[in-house]
Amino acid sequence: MTDQEPAGLADLRLAGGAQGFNWLPVFVADEQGLFEKHGIRIDYKRMGSVEKATAAVLDGEADLAITPPEGAVADFVRGGELRIVAANAVRLPMSIVARPGIGSLAELRGKKVGTSSLTEGTAIYTQIVLAAAGLHYPGDYEFALAGIHTKRWEALQAGEIDCAPQPAPWNFLAQDKGYNLLGEVSAAISEIVFTAVIGKASWLAANRDLVTRFLKALIEAHSVTNDAANHGITLPIFQRITTPDSESLARRGLEYMRGMGMWPQGLAVPDKALKTTIDLMVRANLLDKSKCDVAEGVFDRRYLEGAA
């Protein structure tokens, strides 16, 4: 795929782990014809985990991914090709959900915490939240690889784990079913690059026009998503990808996310959010503290500036 290909829709292979709630603007762009408007046809690659989504870009199986950026940061610091080109979500719309009988974060000592990864996303956030309650990993609790949020909910109900970080509206679903919300992740981590658009430097350089068009479409979709007047467009999509059987839960989750400013206007990557991502990697022993300044170079601003 190059920028000199014939007129018509250009295929773009877009990877993600679950392709769930944080992908709402992507599906809005698709269903509102915004990708087609900019000459793009999306080939969705649902990889099942954030590590696999990151690896798909690195291995050339996908062109871009929307996924937590920790893998890209680690690759960049090692001298690799992965880059962040935009932010997709900059808030953490999730709660620490525990089974009935566990009423506080302190009671998670010795318990099993479900997560989708040991090196990215939920594991990092959980460690920070629990550290504020005096619990540290490893030692005070254990992680269990329970999969994405829907799988974590199944594991909670089956008693395979004691708690898990769960995004809206699954946190509210769990609460309605008698599970306990022990704390909001956003209270401990106010701003972060939750999910980013990542690509491989060589591919990005060879396909700059395509990347720009993709970002322009997604910028427009974020504007649609963030406008409460477009509830008629966004709510049915959000319900379909979250809680198909409950419009009320979907509405609650969508309003919760929109209200906290989850989807950044213009796909902006705030300096504070990127610094927080890097700092949490250091605190989770995923990055050497001496590499913080180097790590910030993972964000290649040229593509977003071109789209803006």
Side-chain angles (χ1 to χ4, degrees):
M1 191 188 308
T2 70
D3 293 341
Q4 287 74 44
E5 61 189 331
L9 297 181
D11 289 318
L12 190 150
R13 300 171 300 165
L14 184 62
Q19 296 184 358
F21 63 93
N22 68 79
W23 277 56
L24 176 60
V26 179
F27 299 132
V28 167
D30 205 341
E31 297 191 17
Q32 292 298 301
L34 299 178
F35 289 133
E36 186 175 0
K37 169 186 170 183
H38 289 279
I40 298 170
R41 178 173 48 233
I42 300 295
D43 176 9
Y44 292 96
K45 292 190 171 295
R46 186 172 180 173
M47 307 307 297
S49 76
V50 294
E51 289 100 341
K52 289 180 180 178
T54 301
V57 175
L58 199 55
D59 297 340
E61 185 180 349
D63 303 318
L64 299 173
I66 294 179
T67 191
E70 291 88 4
V73 173
D75 176 77
F76 175 79
V77 169
R78 291 193 297 265
E81 279 206 84
L82 292 183
R83 303 289 186 272
I84 294 172
V85 297
N88 178 62
V90 292
R91 300 289 190 273
L92 295 171
M94 57 182 68
S95 310
I96 302 298
V97 176
R99 60 174 172 76
I102 298 177
S104 70
L105 292 173
E107 293 175 42
L108 292 175
R109 187 179 300 277
K111 299 297 192 293
K112 186 177 293 185
V113 181
T115 182
S116 59
S117 165
L118 296 180
T119 59
E120 300 185 45
T122 51
I124 298 177
Y125 315 145
T126 302
Q127 287 180 62
I128 300 305
V129 174
L130 296 192
L135 302 182
H136 300 282
Y137 178 83
D140 291 334
Y141 55 91
E142 63 176 300
F143 277 126
L145 285 172
I148 61 175
H149 49 278
T150 50
K151 295 297 184 182
R152 295 197 297 272
W153 174 228
E154 292 174 5
L156 266 171
Q157 295 177 93
E160 296 168 0
I161 56 176
D162 298 299
C163 87
Q166 288 294 87
W170 289 274
N171 56 349
F172 302 131
L173 171 64
Q175 186 178 40
D176 289 348
K177 291 187 176 295
Y179 290 73
N180 295 322
L181 306 189
L182 304 184
E184 294 295 295
V185 175
S186 60
I189 307 167
S190 62
E191 189 175 9
I192 189 173
V193 183
F194 175 28
T195 53
V197 180
I198 68 169
K200 197 172 180 179
S202 55
W203 185 90
L204 292 166
N207 295 274
R208 185 162 187 157
D209 178 66
L210 178 57
V211 176
T212 299
R213 286 185 279 137
F214 171 77
L215 294 178
K216 283 182 175 180
L218 201 53
I219 286 170
E220 291 180 30
H222 273 234
S223 293
V224 173
T225 301
N226 284 325
D227 188 345
N230 294 320
H231 227 54
I233 295 172
T234 55
L235 181 57
I237 300 173
F238 190 77
Q239 181 181 347
R240 187 182 72 231
I241 60 179
T242 56
T243 51
D245 298 328
S246 177
E247 180 182 324
S248 62
L249 274 174
R251 181 183 298 274
R252 192 174 171 189
L254 178 55
E255 291 175 349
Y256 171 78
M257 292 183 191
R258 185 189 289 131
M260 66 168 49
M262 177 167 155
W263 294 288
Q265 291 288 2
L267 310 184
V269 181
D271 288 342
K272 178 183 176 182
L274 183 57
K275 288 179 183 294
T276 297
T277 295
I278 293 168
D279 177 60
L280 294 192
M281 289 183 68
V282 172
R283 293 169 68 176
N285 297 315
L286 299 176
L287 183 69
D288 190 280
K289 188 175 183 178
S290 66
K291 302 293 186 180
C292 286
D293 290 343
V294 173
E296 291 182 28
V298 69
F299 175 34
D300 190 333
R301 303 171 184 270
R302 296 173 295 173
Y303 299 96
L304 197 55
E305 289 171 353

